[in-house]
Structure formats: structure tokens, C-alpha cells
Amino acid sequence: PEKKVAWRSQLNDIADEAIAELALIDPDLEFQKAYYMDHSSLRLALESLIKAGCETILYQSINSALYTDFEDYGRTLPLLHKLANHRALIVMADQLGNQAVYREAYFQMLRDRLLEIESEKSVLVILSCHGHPFKKETQDQRAPLYRKPLEEGIRSILSERSGSWELIWSFDEYADHYWDKRDQRIETFEAYRKAIDEGFDYVIELPTEFAAENTDLMIFHAIKKFKAFRSYNFLDPVPYPDWGKPLVRRFQEGKTIGIYNGTPVGAYRKYIVQAVVNSISTLLE
């Protein structure tokens, strides 16, 4: 309805707040923001830094908790090396999901959501991922550095409840029969249906790989997974007037209330910002 998507604005908030904190650590640092899939944007940012006299350039992606061959290792990093052409040393900071404080954003989001639910009610928590179609992906080797401690923290929070609970990982994309013929992954749609079919009182989804709300989450992935609820109509508008709060969406099927909990924006952004600061400041040391 607003004819706008929050993605770029919410990521800019992360970048601007991280830059402000890093500038206090070292006032001589130079900063440039760039769009990582935009060749021209990366070139302009790099040329600006080299012109300012930078001999070492640190690259940090802030849009996702995990790096991939498709975007980061296999595209952006080689491109930056090519654009620098030996005029500056290029160093890629690590994926943000490796920072403990990044995971704290999701812990706090879940704690706040559970405060609204009676402790004796049964809850299934879905930790959803984007997914990829590749047989070999460096992300699969490095994702456990983020996902394993994230899962342990979520389990710890749920164990404090008196009601029954379950935790499941799912994939919004590439988990259907066409892409996953061996049935090794669970679609987010399937995870929602599991909660409905088994009679959970609540099912809460935490999308774990995006730091802001985008068209994948709001529209494309939603069309596939929310069809688990008969009340969902993919033609319905998706209002999101306040980008200072997570986009929470609610559905109901039988006794099961489904809650899409949104991304860690607004009050939860501080954890993502601190993860950026920690990641870069470690390299500066």
C-alpha cells in the first residue's frame, strides 16, 4: 500500500549507526556505502576510498548473516580485487552471523514474542533460511558457525516454558521436490503445516538470514509458505507503514495461530549494529 519496500532504508540505518560508532574508535577511518550486487556502485565506492589515500580497504556485507559463493566469495570479493588492481589491499570482514551479539537480536525478539503467550501454551518455532540450489556452496560449510549457537540459544529460551515446544529449521526456497529430490530439507510451508496438523497452539517463524525486510520475505517467499493457512490470500496488500518495527504477520488455521515475527529492525537493530562494529574493529586491531 505504501508503494515502498523497507530493505534499503533499514540497511542504511544499520550502516549509518555502525559508521558513527567506528568513527569514534578511529577518526581517521574513511567510509563508503555500496550496493554489493551493483558493479558501478562498488567501483565508485572503491575509487573514492583510493582517492582519499586508503591503502587497505575492508569490505563488510551487512544485508545477511551468512556469506555465499554466489554473492560474496565468488562475486563481490573477486570483483573488488579486480577493481582495486593492486592499488589497495582488499580485506573481506567475516560474515556477521559469526558475531555472538548478532544472534542476540533473535533471542530478544523471541523472548518479547513469548511474553504475549501463556507459558502453558504449546509452541513450534521455525528458524527459516533462504535456501540455495547449488550442490556445493561454501555457505553450507560455514553456516553452522551461526546456526548452531543460534539454535542452542533458542532451545534454552524455550526450555524455560512450562508448555510443550519444538524447534525446526526450514528453507523458503529450493526445498521443494524439484530441487530437493532426496527430501533433505524442510520447506517453510511444510513447517507451518506440521504445526497445524499436530495441533500446536502457536507457530512462530524467525527468518534468520535477513537484517531487513525485503520483497523476498514480504511477497515471493510469503506466497509459498503462508498458503499453509487458508485465510492467506497472496493478492491481499501487505501494509508496512512503520519501518521502525518488525513486520509481524498473523494467521490462524484451526486452533493454531501462526506468527511471522519479522526481521531484527527498530529496537533490535542495535544488536546488528554492534555486530558490524565488532567485526570491523577486530580487523582494525
Side-chain angles (χ1 to χ4, degrees):
E2 297 81 29
K3 298 181 175 58
K4 297 177 182 178
V5 176
W7 177 247
R8 183 176 291 188
S9 175
Q10 290 175 334
L11 289 182
N12 265 320
D13 288 341
I14 295 170
D16 290 342
E17 291 179 20
I19 287 171
E21 290 195 34
L22 287 163
L24 295 176
I25 296 173
D26 186 347
D28 293 327
L29 291 174
E30 295 284 341
F31 301 94
Q32 284 291 329
K33 292 183 288 186
Y35 304 116
Y36 74 109
M37 294 296 280
D38 185 329
H39 184 289
S40 176
S41 177
L42 288 170
R43 179 179 58 80
L44 291 172
L46 188 139
E47 292 297 335
S48 177
L49 292 170
I50 291 177
K51 186 176 180 180
C54 297
E55 298 177 344
T56 299
I57 295 174
L58 307 182
Y59 170 80
Q60 176 81 72
S61 177
I62 65 172
N63 69 290
S64 176
L66 300 176
Y67 283 169
T68 70
D69 292 326
F70 178 66
E71 295 175 327
D72 307 283
Y73 301 124
R75 184 189 186 281
T76 306
L77 182 58
L79 176 58
L80 288 173
H81 280 295
K82 181 179 180 181
L83 291 172
N85 193 24
H86 306 291
R87 293 175 295 164
L89 175 67
I90 304 296
V91 178
M92 176 183 272
D94 206 357
Q95 57 188 19
L96 287 178
N98 288 16
Q99 298 293 327
V101 70
Y102 192 100
R103 301 187 290 272
E104 190 61 40
Y106 293 94
F107 299 155
Q108 194 56 54
M109 288 181 76
L110 180 59
R111 289 190 191 100
D112 290 347
R113 182 62 55 210
L114 291 174
L115 288 175
E116 304 170 5
I117 301 172
E118 297 97 324
S119 184
E120 67 274 9
K121 295 291 186 179
S122 59
V123 177
L124 187 146
V125 171
I126 302 171
L127 299 178
S128 62
C129 310
H130 183 287
H132 67 76
F134 308 111
K135 291 183 179 179
K136 292 185 178 180
E137 222 320 334
T138 305
Q139 182 192 82
D140 293 337
Q141 301 172 33
R142 307 203 69 230
L145 296 171
Y146 168 57
R147 292 176 184 162
K148 185 177 179 180
L150 177 64
E151 177 179 333
E152 291 172 350
I154 296 295
R155 288 187 179 277
S156 178
I157 292 170
L158 291 170
S159 67
E160 298 173 359
R161 296 177 53 78
S162 59
S164 61
W165 59 270
E166 193 170 338
L167 175 65
I168 192 169
W169 284 93
S170 72
F171 295 85
D172 286 350
E173 293 290 338
Y174 308 111
D176 56 85
H177 181 67
Y178 178 86
W179 292 102
D180 184 33
K181 291 181 173 58
R182 296 182 180 180
D183 201 25
Q184 296 176 313
R185 296 178 173 180
I186 297 174
E187 288 185 89
T188 306
F189 164 78
E190 292 179 283
Y192 274 116
R193 284 307 315 178
K194 172 183 171 66
I196 294 166
D197 294 341
E198 296 183 11
F200 279 85
D201 294 311
Y202 289 87
V203 52
I204 302 172
E205 180 195 350
L206 297 172
T208 64
E209 291 186 8
F210 289 115
E213 202 70 41
N214 57 30
T215 49
D216 269 9
L217 293 173
M218 294 176 70
I219 302 169
F220 191 55
H221 294 174
I223 288 173
K224 299 183 177 186
K225 60 191 175 187
F226 294 147
K227 67 180 182 181
F229 301 90
R230 282 176 291 183
S231 61
Y232 171 71
N233 182 348
F234 77 93
L235 293 175
D236 287 342
V238 185
Y240 190 20
D242 188 351
W243 294 349
K245 297 179 181 178
L247 174 62
V248 178
R249 305 179 71 175
R250 299 174 185 271
F251 306 94
Q252 185 161 356
E253 184 76 13
K255 66 172 288 190
T256 304
I257 296 175
I259 303 174
Y260 167 81
N261 213 39
T263 56
V265 300
Y268 308 102
R269 183 174 64 245
K270 62 183 179 182
Y271 300 107
I272 310 302
V273 170
Q274 193 58 51
V276 177
V277 173
N278 291 354
S279 180
I280 294 177
S281 61
T282 298
L283 289 176
L284 295 177
E285 293 170 3

